[in-house]
Amino acid sequence: MDVLLQILFSGIALGMIYAVIAFGYQLTFATSGTLNFGQGEALAVGALIGLSIAAQLGYWLMLPLVLLAGALYGIGVERLAVRPALKIKSEGWIMATIALGIIMKNVAENLWGKDDVKFPSPVPEVPLQVLGANVMPMELVVVGGALALMAAVELFNRRSIYGKAVVATASDRDAAGLMGIHTGHVITFSYALSCATAAFAGVLVAPLTLTGASMGASLGLKAFAVAIIGGLTSGLGAIAGGLILGLAETFTGFYISTGYKDVPGLVLLLVVLALKPAGLFGKTAIKKV
């Protein structure tokens, strides 16, 4: 039972990281119908910038600066890769965001090197006893930080005027534009927020893993699978999909083999795409002509 609980806690922590990154995918898809396929690179760059700043200011004072750096990166992605494609109603943003991600990975490798390094933990690395299981304090920070970030974004959307503009643009971009909302600014903001959440996820997961320019490739891809499984139109779906994939990976890795830990999530992705393409919690859009 102790081992079972320990696997459960680890799976939840991993799943919440996936959920935060998937939440970023949802933010941009809701407002513009586009996705940043360089989201994993935003996570890696956030972790590397955080590593450099944390050495000077400490972990907690570093967090706002990493969020700012992620937001600036997101603005750059929207301006360079997404906006030109949207203007001509092209799907070119797909390859453009991938290209920018590759460029950022190469830049990161030249600035920080190709070797993975240890990210100092802001909390003690001595396991805590929770219901008889050993739980790393950083895993609790990951779960709490991920939930706090998503709750803050949801509160912003519900209570602030600009947040309501984001919701209106997500509901109907053309109607929002007719009501005087500058939808272009809203889309830019959604990309800034999306990459900020990815950068934040980077500094959350970094103390539990090694930090490097390539750390975001796998996480970004799996988070995209989570967004598809949960539904690109549902914030609850991001959390549910993240937990499903995180638990599936940890249980498979322990009870079967680490070589097969990626299989259950990908099988689930194929099943969801076949039976419910909008995702477990997503809503199928119905257009009236």
Side-chain angles (χ1 to χ4, degrees):
M1 181 60 70
D2 294 347
V3 173
L4 180 64
L5 287 173
Q6 192 163 338
I7 297 172
L8 182 65
F9 290 140
S10 297
I12 291 173
L14 179 62
M16 292 309 299
I17 289 296
Y18 292 154
V20 171
I21 308 170
F23 189 62
Y25 283 119
Q26 291 176 349
L27 289 170
T28 59
F29 184 79
T31 56
S32 64
T34 63
L35 299 166
N36 176 19
F37 287 104
Q39 193 81 338
E41 281 67 33
L43 178 146
V45 170
L48 290 168
I49 291 175
L51 179 65
S52 299
I53 299 175
Q56 306 297 325
L57 301 179
Y59 186 89
W60 305 109
L61 292 177
M62 164 269 295
L63 290 177
L65 297 178
V66 167
L67 286 169
L68 177 60
L72 293 174
Y73 174 67
I75 292 172
V77 171
E78 193 276 335
R79 293 290 176 89
L80 297 174
V82 178
R83 182 174 296 189
L86 289 180
K87 282 184 178 180
I88 60 175
K89 297 182 179 181
S90 163
E91 301 298 324
W93 54 267
I94 297 174
M95 289 307 301
T97 56
I98 293 174
L100 279 179
I102 294 173
I103 290 171
M104 285 306 301
K105 179 182 176 183
N106 288 336
V107 170
E109 287 177 344
N110 282 284
L111 290 178
W112 285 279
K114 296 183 179 180
D115 296 331
D116 293 335
V117 296
K118 180 72 171 67
F119 196 109
S121 176
V123 293
E125 297 186 87
V126 179
L128 300 174
Q129 288 289 322
V130 179
L131 301 176
N134 292 325
V135 180
M136 296 300 294
M138 194 62 207
E139 292 179 342
L140 300 178
V141 173
V142 165
V143 175
L147 290 174
L149 179 65
M150 289 186 283
V153 173
E154 185 65 23
L155 186 64
F156 171 81
N157 287 338
R158 290 178 179 271
R159 298 295 178 87
S160 69
I161 294 176
Y162 203 84
K164 291 177 180 178
V166 172
V167 174
T169 303
S171 299
D172 192 323
R173 189 170 19 149
D174 293 333
L178 292 173
M179 294 299 293
I181 297 173
H182 197 304
T183 56
H185 289 171
V186 172
I187 293 173
T188 301
F189 176 78
S190 70
Y191 264 86
L193 191 57
S194 172
C195 288
T197 59
F200 183 75
V203 295
L204 281 182
V205 73
L208 296 174
T209 63
L210 293 175
T211 305
S214 60
M215 66 178 290
S218 177
L219 289 170
L221 182 60
K222 290 180 180 179
F224 179 65
V226 164
I228 298 299
I229 291 171
L232 278 167
T233 59
S234 171
L236 178 62
I239 298 176
L243 292 177
I244 290 171
L245 186 58
L247 290 171
E249 285 190 2
T250 51
F251 275 97
T252 302
F254 184 83
Y255 286 108
I256 301 177
S257 169
T258 55
Y260 290 100
K261 68 183 181 67
D262 296 332
V263 173
L266 295 176
V267 171
L268 177 60
L269 174 63
L270 294 174
V271 172
V272 170
L273 286 174
L275 301 179
K276 203 172 187 299
L280 297 177
F281 294 86
K283 295 179 181 180
T284 302
I286 300 175
K287 293 184 178 181
K288 295 182 180 180
V289 180

